[in-house]
Amino acid sequence: DSGGVKLEHFNLLNIVSNAPRDAFFKPLSWSIKAGWERNYLDDLNFNLSGGVGVSVKKGNFLSYLFLEGELESNEVAVVPKAGFFYTKERFKIGLDLHRDFFTNGDIMTQSEQFITYGVRDNISLNLKYVITDATRRDQNEGIVSIFYYF
């Protein structure tokens, strides 16, 4: 709205290991993320989060359920997360829902709908729409990203 440019995310590390369960194998899925992120109050803070969960895969469809913890500057949150994605050749379409319960009593609910196209093995284009409903700030965002994997 201000016409300026601002940094939204700078991830040093972002790993999500969706290890699907089946009748014989029951691995845990896990995640870890570290970097700077603009929070629901529009402040840029260092953020560290991680957790465990379960993932189930049926054909090209993968669904997951996680319980994560998040440390953001002086704030701590418990974050249940659920979602799914469908992968077909170079396309991935998905939905991610989570609710952050902060120790100060604030609650943030966020949904992300996305579509990703793999240009090459290590480069993807991503289009995402994010709806945030927070105790002190609501917003909708459309985001276009380029992912580089190494």
Side-chain angles (χ1 to χ4, degrees), residues 18-23 25-27 29 54-65 83-89 91-92:
N18 284 312
R21 301 168 71 92
D22 60 28
F25 299 103
K26 309 282 188 225
S29 296
V54 294
S55 300
V56 177
K57 186 172 184 178
K58 299 282 186 190
N60 294 340
F61 186 82
L62 185 130
S63 58
Y64 54 88
L65 186 62
F84 69 88
F85 55 86
Y86 177 81
T87 305
K88 183 73 172 175
E89 297 173 6
F91 284 96
K92 182 187 289 186

Side-chain angles (χ1 to χ4, degrees), residues 21-102:
R21 301 168 71 92
D22 60 28
F24 299 105
F25 299 103
K26 309 282 188 225
L28 283 178
S29 296
W30 57 274
S31 68
I32 187 166
K33 182 176 173 184
W36 287 264
E37 188 170 320
R38 195 162 296 280
N39 67 11
Y40 67 100
L41 298 174
D42 206 30
D43 299 324
L44 188 63
N45 294 314
F46 183 76
N47 181 294
L48 178 64
S49 63
V52 296
V54 294
S55 300
V56 177
K57 186 172 184 178
K58 299 282 186 190
N60 294 340
F61 186 82
L62 185 130
S63 58
Y64 54 88
L65 186 62
F66 278 80
L67 183 59
E68 297 182 339
E70 182 176 331
L71 175 62
E72 180 181 296
S73 293
N74 297 326
E75 200 56 47
V76 176
V78 174
V79 185
K81 181 186 283 192
F84 69 88
F85 55 86
Y86 177 81
T87 305
K88 183 73 172 175
E89 297 173 6
R90 292 185 172 268
F91 284 96
K92 182 187 289 186
I93 299 169
L95 172 69
D96 183 79
L97 302 166
H98 63 91
R99 181 165 247 191
D100 299 28
F101 295 93
F102 292 94

